[in-house]
Amino acid sequence: MAKKEYVPLFETRQVKGRILFRCIAASILLGICFIIMYRIRYFPVGGKAERWTWIGLFLSELWFSFYWLLTTVCRWNAVIRIPFIHRLSQRFGKELPGIDIFVCTADPLLEPPSMVVNTVLSMMAYDYPPEKLSVYLSDDGGSNLTFYAMLEAANFSKTWLPFCKKFQVESTSPEAYFRTASELVNVQEWLSVKV
């Protein structure tokens, strides 16, 4: 039996500017050490109020130094992972689980139906097997306006979803696509939408 060769699903790269970040972190650590040495060296011998003020300042500086150390350690070896989305369906095409997505809305004045429709349409255009993807809309306000907007969106989706698949549209929200489409005009795409 031949072994299946698995190609990686993502690539790991080092973040640019690590040396600069480490130099800045080292200088901040040096400054923190100087502050702590100063606080320990010049303990107030005066009144009680001065001591309590000194203790409060020293404890807060220790706390923020500890917090800074924790956040810096997390960023010390920063990497970014670039996923290869097309390889996911190649490797797990038949084994992908079914996904249910719930979109909730309540008030058509606070959440305009155009925004709700854009959300639903962009989720329906995900690069995922359509038979394993279910999108549900929960309208707690029971708005007629949202209902009719979704009816129109259902008609528009018959054109929009094949368009997204055919031209591999990255911004699957119609509003975002048409806002940026004027900058990147592709005649074939526009003729396809017009038809």
Side-chain angles (χ1 to χ4, degrees):
M1 260 190 181
K3 280 187 176 180
K4 284 186 179 180
E5 276 193 43
Y6 288 110
V7 290
L9 295 177
F10 61 89
E11 178 184 359
T12 303
R13 291 185 188 165
Q14 300 290 335
V15 173
K16 293 180 182 176
R18 284 179 35 204
I19 295 171
L20 179 65
F21 172 76
R22 287 181 179 183
C23 290
I24 292 170
S27 66
I28 291 172
L29 181 63
L30 185 66
I32 288 172
C33 291
F34 282 142
I35 289 172
I36 290 174
M37 283 178 17
Y38 173 80
R39 287 282 180 214
I40 291 172
R41 198 164 182 188
Y42 295 103
F43 185 79
V45 263
K48 198 173 192 180
E50 292 172 353
R51 281 193 199 148
W52 283 109
T53 305
W54 181 92
I55 290 171
L57 285 172
F58 185 63
L59 290 176
S60 65
E61 287 167 351
L62 281 179
W63 172 254
F64 285 116
S65 299
F66 176 70
Y67 173 76
W68 175 84
L69 185 67
L70 286 180
T71 56
T72 303
V73 166
C74 294
R75 297 179 192 148
W76 194 256
N77 284 323
V79 295
I80 55 172
R81 289 182 172 55
I82 301 166
F84 301 125
I85 299 171
H86 62 280
R87 292 182 183 173
L88 181 67
S89 59
Q90 287 174 353
R91 188 186 294 181
F92 299 108
K94 303 277 187 222
E95 301 170 18
L96 289 173
I99 296 178
D100 294 330
I101 300 174
F102 292 92
V103 178
C104 299
T105 183
D107 187 4
L109 297 176
L110 296 176
E111 302 159 340
S114 63
M115 185 174 69
V116 175
V117 164
N118 278 306
T119 303
V120 170
L121 287 174
S122 65
M123 289 181 187
M124 289 173 65
Y126 279 168
D127 185 18
Y128 204 79
E131 64 276 359
K132 295 186 177 191
L133 181 68
S134 300
V135 181
Y136 301 97
L137 176 66
S138 171
D139 184 10
D140 293 340
S143 166
N144 288 336
L145 185 60
T146 305
F147 175 74
Y148 289 118
M150 285 308 299
L151 284 177
E152 290 299 318
N155 291 332
F156 178 66
S157 71
K158 294 174 186 168
T159 306
W160 178 247
L161 298 177
F163 174 77
C164 288
K165 299 271 190 259
K166 181 178 179 182
F167 293 106
Q168 298 174 346
V169 174
E170 283 298 315
S171 178
T172 56
S173 168
E175 180 183 1
Y177 175 77
F178 290 117
R179 188 178 334 126
T180 59
S182 61
E183 301 164 4
L184 309 165
V185 175
N186 185 343
V187 177
Q188 274 189 328
E189 290 180 15
W190 282 102
L191 290 176
S192 170
V193 171
K194 190 175 179 181
V195 170

